Amino acid sequence: MNTQPLDQLSDSSTAFLRPYLPPSAPSDRLFVTLTYAASLDSRIAVGHGQRTYLSGPESKCMTHYLRAHHDGILVGVNTLLADNPSLNCRYPVAGKSYVEASPRPIIIDPTFRCKIGASSNMMMAAANKIGKEPWILVSSQWLQSVSPTDLGHIQFLEGMGARVIPITGLQSDDRNASWAAILESLKRLGLRSLMVEGGAQVINDLLLTTANDVNRTKISPVDVVIVTIAPVYLGKNGVEVSPTTAIDSLYDITWERFGRDIVMASFNNKSRLDP
Ligand SMILES: NC(=O)C1=CN([C@@H]2O[C@H](COP(=O)(O)OP(=O)(O)OC[C@H]3O[C@@H](n4cnc5c(N)ncnc54)[C@H](O)[C@@H]3O)[C@@H](O)[C@H]2O)C=CC1
Ligand SMILES: Nc1nc(O)c(N)c(N[C@@H]2O[C@H](COP(=O)(O)O)[C@@H](O)[C@H]2O)n1
């Protein structure tokens, strides 16, 4: 587990990010930031199951600064299994301990594949009070016929402070329905801001997810997209971010250099996703 505190960002870097941070005023909606690091050929890992370091120290600080500004940090179970991430905030925040500054790790895991133990980085971060205990979202349908072994593992994780939360509709083949169930549940659990880090399936699906708003207009749940681009190619076997259809809904786009990387921040125009 990496416990090294990170450097402070420069004033120009925080000024660059400020417009894209979740609103500080209380709100009853869930603000969603989609953020990840990609290579020049839009790969986020060199291969399936292989943790790949793309961000340099400066853009990594940027990511942790974003973590400090969100209530939750969400990844798919493949990312948890591949990366053994800590999913905490190691950016120093004045007046807050690391556990207070850290977002709540949220793992989407319909059939509870995350058989992690106490020595996983995420659980160690929580035990060492430098991160929060995770919430693991499983399918309600799956939980109805859970095996004694899986139930034992759920009880073991819950004994360490994790929560295993059943979500109706999580196993649906309809991705829109599945994301609607996830986001609605997180809102009901009190989250006001969510940072989605990946992996590829999560990013590719979420970019295309829409729901009808009160005016029956199709809208995206993603408010802001922040992408770090690292100056490397990961090649054809890499894990690719590339949604199945074209998307041209980003606006108010700004680019900023962080060390050797470049970071794009933008809003996501919900209505332009309308067919
Ligand atoms: N460079 C970067 O910023 C990042 C890189 N990664 C990399 O991404 C790779 C993992 O990506 P993927 O294999 O695409 O997997 P993933 O991390 O997106 O997880 C996919 C799994 O999550 C669950 N899931 C996701 N969305 C769901 C939904 N809407 N409803 C129900 N279940 C859902 C399913 O079990 C699915 O099999 C790893 O190699 C990791 O290193 C992950 C995060 C960030
Ligand atoms: N911003 C960013 N840059 C990279 O190069 C990455 N590989 C990732 N990956 C994401 O960060 C998680 C690791 O978090 P910890 O440092 O262990 O807390 C990893 O699971 C991905 O979600 N991100």
Side-chain angles (χ1 to χ4, degrees):
M1 181 184 47
N2 186 350
T3 55
Q4 196 69 23
L6 296 166
D7 291 338
Q8 294 274 355
L9 288 181
S10 68
D11 288 349
S12 66
S13 297
T14 55
F16 157 70
L17 291 169
R18 194 167 301 121
Y20 303 100
L21 296 177
S24 45
S27 157
D28 62 356
R29 63 179 297 275
L30 181 63
F31 187 95
V32 178
T33 304
L34 182 60
T35 183
Y36 58 94
S39 62
L40 292 172
D41 48 350
S42 199
R43 265 60 178 184
I44 61 169
V46 72
H48 283 279
Q50 287 175 263
R51 182 169 179 159
T52 306
Y53 295 90
L54 286 161
S55 300
E58 297 85 355
S59 58
K60 186 177 178 163
C61 272
M62 188 279 304
T63 298
H64 280 253
Y65 182 82
L66 289 178
R67 288 182 179 185
H69 284 87
H70 288 81
D71 295 340
I73 179 168
L74 179 146
V75 296
V77 62
N78 289 2
T79 295
L80 183 82
L81 297 176
D83 293 359
N84 187 15
S86 300
L87 299 180
N88 61 350
C89 170
R90 302 193 288 278
Y91 189 87
V93 178
K96 281 193 181 177
S97 66
Y98 283 108
V99 67
E100 286 166 341
S102 289
R104 172 74 57 193
I106 295 155
I107 316 300
I108 316 184
D109 188 8
T111 56
F112 194 62
R113 286 194 283 131
C114 70
K115 307 289 189 297
I116 51 171
S119 62
S120 77
N121 284 332
M122 188 173 62
M123 296 310 292
M124 281 214 296
N128 292 331
K129 303 276 179 245
I130 54 165
K132 293 193 169 82
E133 295 87 357
W135 292 351
I136 300 163
L137 310 187
V138 300
S139 146
S140 313
Q141 199 189 342
W142 172 82
L143 199 56
Q144 276 169 11
S145 49
V146 63
S147 70
T149 315
D150 282 345
L151 188 60
H153 205 102
I154 288 175
Q155 285 164 348
F156 161 74
L157 288 177
E158 288 189 330
M160 288 192 295
R163 281 178 73 183
V164 174
I165 301 172
I167 307 282
T168 304
L170 194 57
Q171 256 179 320
S172 163
D173 288 337
D174 173 350
R175 289 285 181 226
N176 274 355
S178 162
W179 274 105
I182 294 166
L183 298 174
E184 195 47 48
S185 302
L186 294 178
K187 212 163 67 175
R188 251 187 284 114
L189 288 160
L191 252 67
R192 293 294 165 258
S193 55
L194 178 69
M195 175 166 169
V196 178
E197 282 204 356
Q201 182 186 320
V202 164
I203 298 166
N204 290 331
D205 281 354
L206 191 55
L207 278 169
L208 290 173
T209 294
T210 56
N212 282 326
D213 73 358
V214 283
N215 303 315
R216 304 189 62 77
T217 308
K218 284 220 180 304
I219 59 165
S220 161
V222 177
D223 294 278
V224 157
V225 178
I226 298 180
V227 181
T228 296
I229 298 174
V232 294
Y233 296 93
L234 292 179
K236 286 197 185 308
N237 294 329
V239 179
E240 189 179 36
V241 166
S242 180
T244 49
T245 60
I247 296 175
D248 183 16
S249 56
L250 305 184
Y251 73 103
D252 279 357
I253 299 160
T254 317
W255 298 84
E256 175 90 356
R257 191 172 171 166
F258 283 79
R260 69 172 204 164
D261 304 331
I262 188 132
V263 174
M264 183 211 70
S266 71
F267 292 98
N268 187 35
N269 187 333
K270 296 157 188 279
S271 60
R272 282 177 62 189
L273 288 169
D274 243 3

